[in-house]
C-alpha cells in the first residue's frame, strides 16, 4: 500500500483493493485456467515477458492478493504461497541449492524441518550441518564450507522456544556470502520482522497463527529483496546463469529484486506444483484480518499461564521467553518486545509418564498435532512430532523427554488455568 499504514490496518486493507463496482471481499478465483484473446498474448506469459495468469499451478489472483498482504506485513518485495509450511521450507532452500551443495541449520528447528534438511534433502545430494543457535560467531563460522548456499533457522524454535539472535546469524551468513532464511511462524510478522535484523528470506507455515482457526494448511515464502545474488554469482548459478527452460533468462539480471520469487514461481512451482488452493488462500485471508487481535490475546494469556505454571508445585520447569528469568528473555525483549507467541513448554516432576497422565486428564485443552490456533491444545513432542529423532538428537534440538508443548488459545485465561490445575491434581 502506498500509505504507511500500521500492521493492524494492513491486515484488513492490503492485498485485494476493489475498484468501482467490484466485490468488497476478496473473490475466490476458483479456476484452473485463464482466457486470452490471442496466441501471442499467452506466449508472452510463457516467455516471462508479461505478467498475468494462465494456469493456477503457477499463479492465481486470490493467492497473489493474499501473498501481497503477507509480503507487506513482513516488509518484503515479493512473496509466494505454497500448499504447506513444509513446502515453503523446501522451496525456500531448493530454490538456491542443488546436488553437491551444503546448508547450515539451527539444531532447534521444528522436527519436520530437521528431517527434511538432514534426511530427505540429503538423498538429493544436499548436505546439512547442524549448529547450536547459542554458539558464538567463531564456532558458527566453522560450520561453513565452500559449497554452503544458505543458513536456515526459526525466529522462535518449535517446540524448544529458543529465540534466535537474528543479527548474529545474519552477520555470519553474510560474511560467507549466503542468505539467512528464517521461519517466522511462531512470532508472525505482528511480533517480529526478521528483515529488520538482517534476515534475507522469511517462511511461514500459514497453517498456524496466520490462519488461526485450524481450517487450512498452507505456507508462504517472502523475499526481502536485499540479498545481492549477482555479487555472489558463482554460488548461485540458478539465479545468475541462463535458465534454458525459459529461453536463457538470467533471473537476477532480468528481475532484479524480484528474482528469487520469480524463479520460485516460474521454475519451482511449475515443476513441483505445491500450490495453495484458492479456497484455502481465501480462508487464510479471513484469518489474517484478525491476526493482530489474536496475537495480543495469545501472548497475554500465555504469560499468565506461564506464571501460573511456575508457581505450581507439580511443575518441574517452565520455558517461556517472556518470563523475566528465562534464558532467552533478553533476546525476546530485543526482537519481540510486544510478546513472543502463545506457546509454552514445561515439564512435570513426575517426568515423562506424568506428562502423559496429565494430558489425558485435560478437559478444555485438546491433544492434537496442531499448534498455534485459537484453541488451547497440548502435545508431547518426544512421542509425537519428534518421535523420529534419537535421544541424542532430541537433546540437541532442545526437546526433553518430559517436555509438554502447550499452545495457549484465546479462551478465557482463567478457564485455561483451571483446566491445567484440575488435570495436575488428578495425576
Amino acid at each position: 500500500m502506498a500509505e504507511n499504514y500500521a500492521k493492524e490496518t494492513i491486515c484488513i486493507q492490503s492485498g485485494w483493493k476493489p475498484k468501482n463496482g467490484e466485490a468488497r471481499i476478496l473473490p475466490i478465483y476458483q479456476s484452473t485456467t485463464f482466457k486470452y484473446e490471442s496466441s501471442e498474448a499467452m506466449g508472452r506469459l510463457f516467455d516471462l515477458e508479461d505478467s498475468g495468469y494462465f494456469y493456477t499451478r503457477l499463479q492465481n489472483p486470490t493467492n497473489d492478493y493474499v501473498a501481497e498482504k503477507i509480503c507487506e506485513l513482513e516488509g518484503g518485495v515479493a512473496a509466494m504461497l505454497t500448499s504447506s509450511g513444509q513446502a515453503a521450507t523446501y522451496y525456500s532452500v531448493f530454490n538456491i541449492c542443488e546436488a553437491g551443495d551444503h546448508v547450515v541449520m539451527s539444531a532447534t528447528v521444528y522436527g519436520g524441518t530437521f528431517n527434511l534438511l538432514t534426511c530427505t534433502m540429503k538423498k538429493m545430494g544436499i548436505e546439512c550441518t547442524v549448529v547450536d543457535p547459542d554458539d558464538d560467531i567463531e564456532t558458527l563460522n566453522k560450520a561453513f564450507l565452500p559449497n554452503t548456499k544458505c543458513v536456515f533457522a526459526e525466529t522462535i524454535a518449535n517446540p524448544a522456544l529458543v529465540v534466535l539472535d537474528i543479527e548474529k546469524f545474519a552477520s555470519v551468513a553474510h560474511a560467507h556470502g549466503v542468505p539467512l532464511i528464517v521461519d517466522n511462524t511462531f512470532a508472525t510478522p505482528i511480533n517480529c520482522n526478521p528483515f529488520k535484523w538482517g534476515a534475507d528470506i522469511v517462511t511461514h507455515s500459514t497453517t498456524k497463527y496466520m490462519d488461526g482457526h485450524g481450517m487450512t494448511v498452507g505456507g508462504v515464502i517472502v523475499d526481502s529483496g536485499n540479498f545481492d545474488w549477482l555479487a555472489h554469482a558463482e554460488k548461485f548459478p540458478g539465479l545468475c546463469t541462463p535458465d534454458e527452460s525459459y529461453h536463457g533468462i538470467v533471473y537476477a539480471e532480468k528481475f532484479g529484486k524480484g528474482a528469487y520469487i520469480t524463479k520460485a514461481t516460474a521454475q519451482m512451482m511449475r515443476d513441483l506444483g505445491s500450490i495453495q488452493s484458492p479456497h484455502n488462500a481465501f480462508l487464510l485471508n479471513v484469518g489474517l484480518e484478525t491476526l493482530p487481535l489474536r496475537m495480543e490475546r495469545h501472548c497475554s494469556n500465555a504469560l499468565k499461564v506461564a506464571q501460573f505454571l511456575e508457581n505450581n508445585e507439580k511443575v518441574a520447569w517452565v520455558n517461556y521467553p517472556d518470563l523475566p528469568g528465562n534464558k532467552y528473555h533478553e533476546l525476546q525483549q530485543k526482537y519481540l518486545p510486544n510478546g513472543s507467541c502463545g506457546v509454552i513448554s514445561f515439564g512435570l516432576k513426575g517426568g515423562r509418564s506424568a506428562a502423559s497422565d496429565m494430558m489425558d486428564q485435560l478437559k478444555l485443552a485438546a491433544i492434537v498435532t496442531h499448534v498455534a490456533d485459537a484453541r488451547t491444545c497440548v502435545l508431547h513432542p518426544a512421542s509425537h512430532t519428534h518421535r523420529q529423532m534419537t535421544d541424542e538428537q532430541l537433546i540437541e534440538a532442545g526437546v526433553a523427554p518430559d517436555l509438554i508443548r502447550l499452545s495457549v488459545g484465546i479462551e478465557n485465561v482463567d478457564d485455561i488455568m483451571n483446566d491445567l490445575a484440575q488435570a495436575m491434581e488428578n495425576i
Side-chain angles (χ1 to χ4, degrees), residues 216-399:
T216 62
V217 174
V220 68
I221 308 170
V222 186
D223 181 22
S224 68
N226 294 332
F227 192 84
D228 190 344
W229 305 105
L230 289 171
H232 308 281
E234 73 286 351
K235 280 184 172 290
F236 304 104
L239 284 159
C240 301
T241 60
D243 180 357
E244 298 306 326
S245 69
Y246 275 114
H247 313 294
I249 282 175
V250 178
Y251 294 100
E253 292 178 356
K254 186 174 180 64
F255 299 103
K257 288 182 177 296
Y260 176 88
I261 292 296
T262 300
K263 179 179 180 294
T265 303
Q267 187 188 86
M268 295 289 103
M269 195 62 78
R270 175 198 65 190
D271 294 342
L272 300 173
S274 300
I275 192 71
Q276 187 168 145
S277 77
H279 188 257
N280 277 12
F282 172 84
L283 293 173
L284 168 59
N285 190 58
V286 174
L288 286 169
E289 290 182 348
T290 61
L291 182 61
L293 296 171
R294 289 184 286 105
M295 289 310 296
E296 182 178 355
R297 181 61 171 264
H298 280 294
C299 291
S300 64
N301 274 4
L303 180 57
K304 292 175 184 176
V305 171
Q307 292 167 339
F308 159 78
L309 290 170
E310 272 195 321
N311 295 315
N312 190 289
E313 62 180 13
K314 293 194 176 182
V315 175
W317 57 270
V318 180
N319 181 18
Y320 186 59
D322 303 49
L323 291 171
N326 186 270
K327 178 180 179 180
Y328 298 100
H329 185 64
E330 187 175 339
L331 289 175
Q332 179 265 321
Q333 289 290 290
K334 175 179 178 178
Y335 294 117
L336 305 134
N338 295 322
S340 57
C341 63
V343 181
I344 300 168
S345 61
F346 69 99
L348 299 176
K349 291 178 180 177
R352 188 168 186 159
S353 61
S356 297
D357 291 343
M358 188 279 291
M359 290 167 60
D360 290 346
Q361 298 294 328
L362 292 166
K363 298 177 181 178
L364 183 150
I367 302 172
V368 297
T369 306
H370 202 232
V371 66
D373 69 23
R375 300 164 186 82
T376 297
C377 57
V378 292
L379 188 79
H380 186 231
S383 299
H384 305 137
T385 54
H386 289 60
R387 69 180 298 131
Q388 77 277 9
M389 291 186 177
T390 64
D391 286 347
E392 291 77 13
Q393 287 175 327
L394 283 170
I395 293 169
E396 188 177 16
V399 182

Side-chain angles (χ1 to χ4, degrees), residues 36-47 49-50:
Y36 287 86
E37 297 295 333
S38 71
S39 176
E40 180 183 357
M42 180 168 282
R44 289 181 65 80
L45 296 176
F46 277 91
D47 286 343
E49 294 298 329
D50 285 345

Side-chain angles (χ1 to χ4, degrees), residues 11 32 52 82 84 107 142 152 177 184 228 245 274 302 324 370 391 396:
C11 281
T32 59
T82 61
S84 68
K142 295 176 183 177
F152 193 96
N184 199 32
D228 190 344
S245 69
S274 300
H370 202 232
D391 286 347
E396 188 177 16

